[in-house]
């Protein structure tokens, strides 16, 4: 079973696109979502994101992501509802009121975050991290050190999640009840576990750095990678679509 | 405390079954070793014993009670679990705090617990104020073991307790485990080192592809070459040599040489064959 942000093999159009095209599309798509507050446009963007997930068979992963983003965005939405007194008054508060505008702003935030997150996360599920880092070095001329740092960070996320799971299991076996007493108790019990996680993270990254160093990490240049990442018609079309989406978002903000 | 597996099937995700109908019983006070190749299902079996994993089919009974009816914290009072990697287990700032952690988690931290912790610190020779994360690998493994021993559970499950340890550390860990067993604790151990298995376990359970393929008294199993080969295992060297002697020279097959399971038994047999007496390694040194 694949973990969080781990590549899932496949042969869909998204799998076959140039990694740079996917990355550029995802970034421009996310920027477009943040450039406009037009709810209809954001709903279309969200539908497009879900459509992309369906097209490459990543609906299970996307639903998991949407659930996680929903938790975060609902917290933001509640803050917005309580602190943005706009529109027709619905409920009086000691410091202002909750209006129809507050609810609209909160809902827009949820849709915006969900829409912006999907292509960014899908990029990792349909692209090998090595391809992603090598292609940004080859095509965008990003220094390999930065690309490697980025790739290592992504690579270590599931590793650390797995470590944390192991640490929690070890403590559960010693009688710690993580499933009792609600979220506050869970956080209270988990805080001390950050120490072993941090220690194991530092040990792992240190070992990885030494292993890379002894295998000539510093000798690597842009020419070292043998694999080429040519931009084909479909890749250029994807970038053009992303630019068009961004332009539409900017126009909608400027005109409405 | 008896541990019983009845036709247990288990997996981490439905698509990949790990255990496929495992049956065995570990009686109170036994020392049982689980052997098998990586991926045979040994660690999964251990996780089922302390309730970290629940069976999909069949039953795991701890003292007659199915683990599905017990919370992991309740099982923690009955079954101590030593993980392969001590760094998963260690989470406190000092050795003393680490040993007190289990009592705190189980809600039974009192003067008696403090006294027990002090006794274990003395027994293991720890400095109570040491930072566990700054100890070497072997000492961290000992600390993880101590944090299980201190709770005095009737059953301890050890997942590869000697992995990554040098010979001296390995001997220290195993002598502590042996003392624990002699004091009446049921010991269930996963181990790849067949010499350690031969030296300490009373009974061996061989696992392969998620099933128990053989079980019985240690040397009955370790002398069953066909079963060991089927599970990609090799017997301890002395057993291997004595079996080879019996096979190469049919005249030796019924002699003590072909039946020796330990170094002492082999030395006794060799000494008897040449008309001498053997009185242990010290005796040999004195004779020399």
């Amino acid at each position: 079973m694949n973990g969080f942000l781990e590549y899932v093999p496949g042969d869909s159009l998204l799998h076959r696109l140039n990694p740079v095209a996917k990355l550029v599309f995802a970034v421009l798509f996310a920027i477009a979502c943040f450039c406009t507050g037009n709810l209809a446009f954001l709903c279309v963007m969200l539908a497009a994101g879900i459509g992309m997930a369906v097209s490459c068979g990543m609906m299970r992963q996307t639903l998991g992501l949407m659930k996680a983003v929903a938790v975060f965005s609902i917290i933001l939405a509640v803050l917005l509802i309580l602190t943005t007194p706009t529109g027709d008054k619905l409920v009086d508060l000691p410091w202002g009121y909750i209006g129809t505008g507050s609810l609209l702003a909160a809902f827009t935030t949820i849709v915006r975050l969900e829409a912006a997150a999907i292509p960014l996360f899908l990029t990792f599920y349909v692209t090998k991290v090595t391809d992603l880092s090598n292609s940004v070095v080859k095509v965008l001329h990003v220094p390999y050190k930065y690309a490697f740092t980025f790739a290592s960070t992504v690579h270590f996320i599931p590793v650390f999640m797995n470590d944390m799971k192991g640490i929690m299991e070890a403590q559960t076996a010693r009688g710690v009840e993580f499933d009792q007493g609600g979220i506050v108790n869970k956080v209270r019990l988990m805080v001390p576990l950050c120490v072993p996680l941090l220690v194991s993270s530092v040990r792992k990254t240190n070992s990885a750095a030494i292993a890379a160093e002894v295998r000539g990490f510093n000798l690597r240049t842009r020419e070292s990678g043998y694999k080429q990442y040519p931009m084909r018609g479909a890749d250029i079309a994807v970038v053009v679509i992303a630019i068009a989406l961004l332009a539409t978002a900017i126009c909608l903000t400027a005109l409405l | 405390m008896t541990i019983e597996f009845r036709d247990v099937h288990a997996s981490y995700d439905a698509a990949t079954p790990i255990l496929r109908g495992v049956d065995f019983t570990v009686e109170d006070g036994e020392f049982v070793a689980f052997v098998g190749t990586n991926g045979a299902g040994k660690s999964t079996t251990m996780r089922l014993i302390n309730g970290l994993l629940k069976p999909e089919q069949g039953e795991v009974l701890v003292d007659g009670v199915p683990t599905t009816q017990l919370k992991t914290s309740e099982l923690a009072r009955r079954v101590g679990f030593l993980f392969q990697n001590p760094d998963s287990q260690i989470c406190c700032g000092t050795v003393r705090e680490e040993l007190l952690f289990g009592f705190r988690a189980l809600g039974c931290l009192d003067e008696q617990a403090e006294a027990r912790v002090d006794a274990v610190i003395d027994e293991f020779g720890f400095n109570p104020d040491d930072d566990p994360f700054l100890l070497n690998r072997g000492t961290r493994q000992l600390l993880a073991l101590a944090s299980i021993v201190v709770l005095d559970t009737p059953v301890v499950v050890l997942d590869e307790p000697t992995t990554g340890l040098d010979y001296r550390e390995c001997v220290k860990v195993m002598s502590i485990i042996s003392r624990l067993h002699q004091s009446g604790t049921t010991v269930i151990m996963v181990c790849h080192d067949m010499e350690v298995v031969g030296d300490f376990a009373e009974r061996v359970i061989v696992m392969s592809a998620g099933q128990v393929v053989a079980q019985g008294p240690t040397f009955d199993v370790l002398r069953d070459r066909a079963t060991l080969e089927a599970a990609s295992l090799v017997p301890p060297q002395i057993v291997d040599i004595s079996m080879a002697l019996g096979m190469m020279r049919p005249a030796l097959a019924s002699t003590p040489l072909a039946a020796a399971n330990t170094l002492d038994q082999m030395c006794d047999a060799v000494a008897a064959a040449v008309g001498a007496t053997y009185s242990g390694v010290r005796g040999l040194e004195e004779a020399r």
Side-chain angles (χ1 to χ4, degrees), chain B residues 50-67:
Chain B
N50 77 337
L52 285 174
L53 191 65
K54 304 288 183 190
E56 282 172 355
Q57 197 185 313
E59 273 186 324
V60 178
L61 305 170
V62 175
D63 207 18
V65 184
T67 54

Side-chain angles (χ1 to χ4, degrees), chain A residues 1 163 165-177 179-180 192-193 195-197 199-200 203-204, chain B residues 13 47 50 52 71-73 76 79 81 83 87-91 98 101-102 105-106 133 140 147-148 151:
Chain A
M1 206 166 101
D163 280 359
K165 195 172 157 235
I167 291 165
M168 282 178 71
E169 277 191 347
Q171 306 316 324
T172 306
R174 293 169 81 181
V176 178
E177 293 179 316
D179 51 354
Q180 302 287 310
L193 306 189
V195 178
L197 182 67
V199 169
S200 92
R203 282 201 179 119
K204 277 202 176 84
Chain B
D13 65 281
R47 292 158 66 87
N50 77 337
L52 285 174
K71 286 196 294 183
T72 314
S73 56
V79 182
F81 195 103
F83 282 75
D87 295 339
S88 300
Q89 218 163 306
I90 294 169
C91 62
E98 189 61 44
F101 182 90
L106 295 170
F133 294 105
R140 290 207 304 278
S147 69
I148 302 303
L151 295 174

Side-chain angles (χ1 to χ4, degrees), chain A residues 156-167:
Chain A
F156 273 119
I157 291 172
V159 174
F160 292 154
M161 285 172 78
N162 208 30
D163 280 359
M164 190 61 179
K165 195 172 157 235
I167 291 165

Side-chain angles (χ1 to χ4, degrees), chain B:
Chain B
M1 188 169 287
T2 311
I3 308 286
E4 200 175 344
F5 273 54
R6 289 182 190 162
D7 189 31
V8 173
H9 293 250
S11 68
Y12 296 101
D13 65 281
T16 328
I18 307 289
L19 296 190
R20 298 178 298 159
V22 170
D23 276 294
F24 66 83
T25 303
V26 177
E27 299 294 344
D28 192 24
E30 266 196 303
F31 191 139
V32 179
F34 278 74
V35 297
T37 52
N38 287 332
K42 306 181 299 295
S43 293
T44 305
T45 305
M46 300 303 113
R47 292 158 66 87
L48 281 153
I49 295 175
N50 77 337
L52 285 174
L53 191 65
K54 304 288 183 190
E56 282 172 355
Q57 197 185 313
E59 273 186 324
V60 178
L61 305 170
V62 175
D63 207 18
V65 184
T67 54
T68 46
Q69 291 176 17
L70 293 165
K71 286 196 294 183
T72 314
S73 56
E74 289 173 48
L75 276 164
R77 292 173 197 274
R78 306 174 192 206
V79 182
F81 195 103
L82 178 71
F83 282 75
Q84 194 178 335
N85 180 3
D87 295 339
S88 300
Q89 218 163 306
I90 294 169
C91 62
C92 299
T94 66
V95 165
R96 193 161 202 284
E97 282 298 308
E98 189 61 44
L99 295 176
L100 286 168
F101 182 90
F103 291 106
R104 221 168 252 141
L106 295 170
C108 51
L109 181 58
D110 53 17
E111 280 178 10
Q112 229 178 336
E114 300 251 6
R116 172 94 183 119
V117 165
D118 291 334
V120 168
I121 286 173
D122 284 344
E123 185 188 350
F124 280 72
F126 292 134
N127 176 354
D129 299 322
D130 273 351
D131 183 338
F133 294 105
L134 299 179
L135 299 173
N136 66 36
R137 170 71 167 79
T139 315
R140 290 207 304 278
Q141 182 76 343
L142 269 176
L143 177 59
L145 176 62
S147 69
I148 302 303
V149 171
V150 77
L151 295 174
D152 203 16
T153 52
V155 180
V156 291
V157 175
L158 313 161
D159 193 357
E160 299 184 36
T162 57
T163 301
L165 304 185
D166 66 27
Y167 178 74
R168 259 180 52 192
E169 291 165 344
C170 177
V171 167
K172 193 165 182 186
V173 165
M174 286 315 300
S175 60
I176 289 165
I177 293 169
S178 185
R179 280 210 300 275
L180 203 62
H181 170 236
Q182 280 157 16
S183 69
T185 306
T186 307
V187 178
I188 301 172
M189 175 178 77
V190 170
C191 193
H192 285 292
D193 188 336
M194 302 302 265
E195 307 289 339
V196 170
V197 171
D199 284 347
F200 293 96
E202 293 171 339
R203 199 154 68 85
V204 171
I205 295 179
V206 184
M207 291 193 73
S208 178
Q211 290 177 315
V212 171
V213 292
Q215 55 178 312
T218 302
F219 288 106
D220 288 1
V221 173
L222 296 184
R223 296 184 79 87
D224 182 352
R225 195 177 283 276
T227 301
L228 291 188
E229 272 176 15
S232 304
L233 299 169
V234 286
Q237 276 186 326
I238 293 293
V239 173
D240 215 12
I241 291 168
S242 75
M243 285 166 71
L245 281 173
M247 280 194 295
M248 277 172 7
R249 303 265 176 198
L252 296 176
S254 56
T255 67
L257 275 173
N261 290 323
T262 64
L263 184 61
D264 273 343
Q265 286 173 6
M266 178 59 86
C267 290
D268 273 337
V270 171
V274 298
T277 52
Y278 167 68
S279 50
V281 175
R282 182 176 289 175
L284 277 181
E285 281 169 358
E286 281 169 5
R288 200 178 291 134

Side-chain angles (χ1 to χ4, degrees), chain A residues 148 206-218:
Chain A
F148 179 79
N206 190 40
S207 306
I210 292 168
E213 200 79 40
V214 297
R215 287 182 291 168
F217 177 77
N218 285 322

